[in-house]
Amino acid sequence: MSQSAAASAATQTPGERQFQRCINCHQIGPSARHGFGPSLTGVLGRQAGSASGYNFSAAMKNSRIVWDEKTLTAFLKNPDGVVPGTRMRLWGYNDEQQIRDLIAYLKSNPAPASR
Ligand code: HEC
């Protein structure tokens, strides 16, 4: 009965709003699948290029990075600078607060408990 159809955008957290920059290529959440980019569910604490079922670039697989606040922040600001040769293209993401919001959102989507 209410007219709340437009409410969902307003109820997004700041991090969810930031994630809109990623959704063309990435899914996240319990039922996320790999698409053009790998699923980002549980990406915090994961070794770069290690998610099974996704065909990462050699650059990503060999980067030896573990994703945490520091490495993710650096990567988002300059993907090719941190992982030279990565297939991920993202420009102009520099706002520290927006990146913090985004990482908080990624953290709130941990890997599902293993069976
Ligand atoms: C234009 C498509 C595109 C967009 C937009 C994009 N990505 Fe990516 N991303 C990719 C691709 C492709 C890869 C795999 C790169 C490789 O293998 O070199 C990737 C890889 C990653 C990885 C490494 C994952 C792992 O398991 O090692 C992270 C983290 C990541 N992206 C985060 C983000 C975030 C956060 C955003 C939004 C701010 C974003 N990406 C936006 C295409 C994209």
Side-chain angles (χ1 to χ4, degrees), residues 61-77:
K61 280 192 289 215
N62 296 333
S63 70
R64 298 173 153 265
I65 288 172
V66 174
W67 296 120
D68 60 17
E69 281 94 340
K70 211 176 146 200
T71 53
L72 263 175
T73 301
F75 179 67
L76 293 174
K77 287 182 175 174

Side-chain angles (χ1 to χ4, degrees), residues 18-19 21-26 36-40 43 46-51 54-61 67 72 75-76 83 85-90 93 102 106:
Q18 291 307 314
F19 195 72
R21 300 186 192 226
C22 324
I23 54 171
N24 282 343
C25 305
H26 292 287
F36 182 69
S39 159
L40 292 182
V43 74
R46 186 157 94 196
Q47 172 104 32
S50 70
Y54 181 82
N55 187 20
F56 287 96
S57 64
M60 186 62 79
K61 280 192 289 215
W67 296 120
L72 263 175
F75 179 67
L76 293 174
V83 183
T86 179
R87 283 200 300 270
M88 175 158 147
R89 292 285 168 264
L90 185 74
Y93 206 179
L102 173 68
L106 296 176

